[in-house]
Amino acid sequence: AQSVTQLGSHVSVSEGALVLLRCNYSSSVPPYLFWYVQYPNQGLQLLLKYTTGATLVKGINGFEAEFKKSETSFHLTKPSAHMSDAAEYFCAVSDPRLNSGYSTLTFGKGTMLLVSP
Amino acid sequence: NAGVTQTPKFQVLKTGQSMTLQCAQDMNHEYMSWYRQDPGMGLRLIHYSVGAGITDQGEVPNGYNVSRSTTEDFPLRLLSAAPSQTSVYFCASSRGSPRDARANEQFFGPGTRLTVL
């Protein structure tokens, strides 16, 4: 079974500071990993994903994440935080459904990013 | 395209009442899912469907029914609402891929906020 652990339910940074949101996963198969963002009172929006190939993945809004197999991690970073980055961020691993050829997502519990002026 | 739409946006029910949460997508996606989001719990999969006429249970299916009569629609039914079903419900869809469905992005609706008194 797949699982995702996000360290820190809340992370606070100042505007312009580095953003680092941590995600560790457990997977019985080579993992496909996703980061989603949820702005207040909205649905989830894909930031970036790792499937195969290059382990450093760039996404929207200046975010990137690096897949490290040896550390079973997929941490999300952004060099300089903006006020508009304040949101909840979810890491997820693709969970294959063997009998259907379909895949669902197993989510972490989320990390709320707070950005102060 | 409207993407994934959900109705209603908000609903208050009394214990024991029934209701249907509607979900529709206009992207011709084969795969659709229902998740519930609770504080500190992330998103948990309720039911999913890999095509019209085919549904299966996710992580937390008890108390919920689904059906998929068309590609576009995937309603979620609560037969006898309980306070434990107070949550925010998200519908998601993704395209099918014979080669690698795990890599496909899931598109989320805006959510339905349900309160059961």
Side-chain angles (χ1 to χ4, degrees), chain A residues 32-53:
Chain A
Y32 286 12
L33 296 158
F34 301 78
W35 275 101
Y36 282 84
V37 60
Q38 184 181 31
Y39 298 104
N41 300 314
Q42 294 187 24
L44 278 69
Q45 177 183 2
L46 181 68
L47 271 178
L48 49 81
K49 66 180 180 181
Y50 167 78
T51 55
T52 59

Side-chain angles (χ1 to χ4, degrees), chain A residues 29-32 34 36 38 43-44 46 49 51 90 94 97 101-105 107-109, chain B residues 31 33 35 37 40-43 45 48 50 57 90 100-103 105-106 108-110 113:
Chain A
V29 297
Y32 286 12
F34 301 78
Y36 282 84
Q38 184 181 31
L44 278 69
L46 181 68
K49 66 180 180 181
T51 55
F90 292 93
S94 189
R97 301 280 163 162
Y102 172 61
S103 177
T104 59
L105 291 174
F107 285 88
K109 294 184 178 181
Chain B
Y31 301 151
S33 307
Y35 296 85
Q37 183 182 26
M41 299 292 291
L43 279 80
L45 181 67
Y48 65 98
V50 300
Q57 295 181 352
F90 288 100
D100 196 354
R102 297 174 62 206
E105 173 186 356
Q106 293 204 19
F108 285 81
R113 187 175 296 273

Side-chain angles (χ1 to χ4, degrees), chain A residues 1-4 25-33 72 93-96, chain B residues 102:
Chain A
Q2 278 58 243
S3 67
V4 174
Y25 69 89
S26 171
S27 178
S28 57
V29 297
Y32 286 12
L33 296 158
T72 61
V93 62
S94 189
D95 187 356
Chain B
R102 297 174 62 206

